Amino acid sequence: VISSAQLRALDELFGDAVGDAEVARLQEIIADSGALAECERRIAERTRTAREALAALPVPAQARSVLEGLLAAATERAR
């Protein structure tokens, strides 16, 4: 849930040339609002669904390996 003060800060900060402090503030607001956690939850859920679908595909092992690599590249990142 985002507060009215946080919403005002987002409005003020988005779209402008921002420095490190502003970026840090934006990151804090996004994390505090729960948006980051929800996004990560959705990515994990859809990744599981994709892995299950991939496991059921009747494709050669080499193709499966490439597809698994693409899935990992698209959904895994350093934090």
Side-chain angles (χ1 to χ4, degrees):
V1 177
I2 192 164
S3 72
S4 58
Q6 291 172 320
L7 188 56
R8 280 192 304 276
L10 288 174
D11 285 340
E12 291 170 6
L13 293 171
F14 270 120
D16 294 335
V18 296
D20 291 344
E22 292 82 10
V23 169
R25 180 67 179 131
L26 287 167
Q27 290 172 325
E28 179 183 328
I29 291 169
I30 291 166
D32 288 350
S33 73
L36 178 61
E38 177 61 16
C39 185
E40 295 292 345
R41 185 196 67 74
R42 289 181 184 193
I43 290 170
E45 178 184 307
R46 288 174 174 94
T47 299
R48 277 191 303 278
T49 301
R51 286 191 199 288
E52 290 169 4
L54 181 55
L57 282 178
V59 296
Q62 184 177 8
R64 183 180 315 282
S65 178
V66 170
L67 292 170
E68 288 171 348
L70 288 171
L71 180 60
T75 60
E76 297 171 9
R77 61 183 166 81
R79 297 174 193 238

